[in-house]
Amino acid sequence: PLPLLMKHSFSLCVGTDSLASARSLSMLENLKLLQQAYPEISFATMLPWATLNGARLMQLEDELGSLEPGKHPGLVIIRGVDNSSKKILPHAVASRIA
C-alpha cells in the first residue's frame, strides 16, 4: 500500500514500461490514477516520483530529473493542475516543450 511505503520513506518512482501492465504509457495518466486511488496525496508530493527519483534510480541525476545548472532534462508543461488544492484535474494534459 502506497501510504505504508511513504511512511517508511522509500524513494518512490512512477514510470511506464509497456501496455501489458498499464492502460497508457503516459506518466500523467499514471499520476492521475494514483491520485484517484489516494486523493490525500498531492501533486507536489507525486511530482518527484515521476522526475528526480527516476533519474536517481537510473543513476542519471547529474543530467536529468530536475532544473539545475548543467542538467538537460526534458521540459513538460501540465495544463490542468489546481494550484490551490495541489491536485491534478481529470482533464489535465501534458505537452513537451523542450
Side-chain angles (χ1 to χ4, degrees), residues 1 7-8 17 19 22 27-28 37 39 41-42 68 70-71 76 78 85-86 88 96-98:
K7 179 182 174 186
H8 290 285
D17 57 356
L19 293 174
M27 296 286 282
L28 180 59
I41 300 173
S42 73
E68 296 179 54
K71 290 188 175 187
V76 175
I78 300 174
S85 69
K86 305 295 186 218
I88 305 166
R96 185 173 178 134
I97 59 173

Side-chain angles (χ1 to χ4, degrees), residues 9-77:
S9 301
F10 286 106
S11 182
L12 302 174
C13 296
V14 173
T16 61
D17 57 356
S18 76
L19 293 174
S21 63
R23 293 182 195 166
S24 168
L25 296 180
S26 165
M27 296 286 282
L28 180 59
E29 291 304 315
N30 287 336
L31 292 175
K32 286 180 187 180
L33 286 172
L34 281 172
Q35 185 176 269
Q36 285 176 345
Y38 302 98
E40 68 278 11
I41 300 173
S42 73
F43 175 63
T45 297
M46 293 188 299
L47 187 58
W49 303 351
T51 56
L52 186 56
N53 291 359
R56 285 180 179 148
L57 176 71
M58 301 300 292
Q59 298 180 350
L60 295 171
E61 69 270 22
D62 291 339
E63 301 170 43
L64 306 171
S66 61
L67 296 174
E68 296 179 54
K71 290 188 175 187
H72 305 285
L75 295 178
V76 175
I77 186 168

